[in-house]
Amino acid sequence: MLVPKPDFIINLFQGLFDGENIFLSAILLSVVAPFTEEFMFRGVILDRFLKNFSVPSSFILSSLLFGLIHLNPWQFIGSSILGIYMAWVVYKTDSIWNSILIHAVFNGIPLIVLHGLQLEIPGFSAPISGKIQVLQPIWLDLLGILITCFGLSFTFFLFRSRSEKTA
């Protein structure tokens, strides 16, 4: 609200999610971006940081770079937090494939909501009073936080169960 998004950022996101070329958007968001970004940030950058820094520092540094690469401050915090989670998953599983899958699902959810389920959410997928709202509704943010907490809890449960079986 304090720093409104410039028109070119709004147009870029509208172009990705407007449905004019849903197949291309799905390929770019759920295949190309996850593979390229995960190989770069978790495969190369995180791996190099882990050889030179502590685990927490490596997670934070690689994740901040991941947030920066999205080139807009409106995605920086969310991308950085997601980057820390995916770094942790790669570290715990010793596999980049899990973070690629997480990234693909994360990027694909808006496409599923907008075009698969065709939900009309004022301020997110539908304009309010003929104009595009810059902020999505607070209930959608809260739902996202709830789903994130569930996902993290489930992930920690799976890793805890896995450790007990191998020990």
Side-chain angles (χ1 to χ4, degrees):
M1 286 188 304
L2 298 174
V3 181
K5 289 181 185 175
D7 288 339
F8 80 92
I9 294 284
I10 293 171
N11 293 336
L12 175 69
F13 281 99
Q14 281 180 328
L16 281 172
F17 296 106
D18 65 5
E20 284 187 31
N21 196 338
I22 191 69
F23 181 74
L24 180 61
S25 293
I27 295 296
L28 289 174
L29 292 169
S30 294
V31 178
V32 175
F35 274 89
T36 57
E37 292 177 8
E38 291 309 308
F39 279 118
M40 177 185 228
F41 288 96
R42 261 55 76 187
V44 175
I45 294 173
L46 177 63
D47 184 60
R48 178 61 76 182
F49 282 161
L50 286 169
K51 291 177 180 169
N52 295 302
F53 302 106
S54 69
V55 171
S57 295
S58 298
F59 286 9
I60 291 169
L61 289 171
S62 66
S63 298
L64 290 175
L65 289 173
F66 181 66
L68 284 172
I69 198 68
H70 287 87
L71 300 177
N72 71 69
W74 302 274
Q75 278 187 287
F76 176 76
I77 293 172
S79 296
S80 296
I81 292 169
L82 184 64
I84 290 171
Y85 173 66
M86 291 189 296
W88 179 78
V89 167
V90 168
Y91 183 77
K92 282 295 257 189
T93 63
D94 199 28
S95 172
I96 198 167
W97 297 107
N98 297 310
S99 67
I100 290 171
L101 178 62
I102 292 166
H103 198 146
V105 168
F106 188 84
N107 283 2
I109 286 173
L111 292 173
I112 292 168
V113 169
L114 294 172
H115 303 292
L117 302 175
Q118 297 182 344
L119 296 177
E120 295 245 342
I121 302 170
F124 179 74
S125 63
I128 296 176
S129 304
K131 67 175 188 170
I132 295 171
Q133 183 166 329
V134 177
L135 298 175
Q136 61 197 23
I138 190 72
W139 67 264
L140 192 58
D141 292 328
L142 295 174
L143 179 62
I145 290 169
L146 180 67
I147 292 169
T148 300
C149 290
F150 174 77
L152 289 173
S153 299
F154 187 65
T155 304
F156 292 139
F157 172 77
L158 288 176
F159 285 128
R160 185 182 57 89
S161 298
R162 183 183 224 179
S163 297
E164 289 173 1
K165 289 179 183 175
T166 59

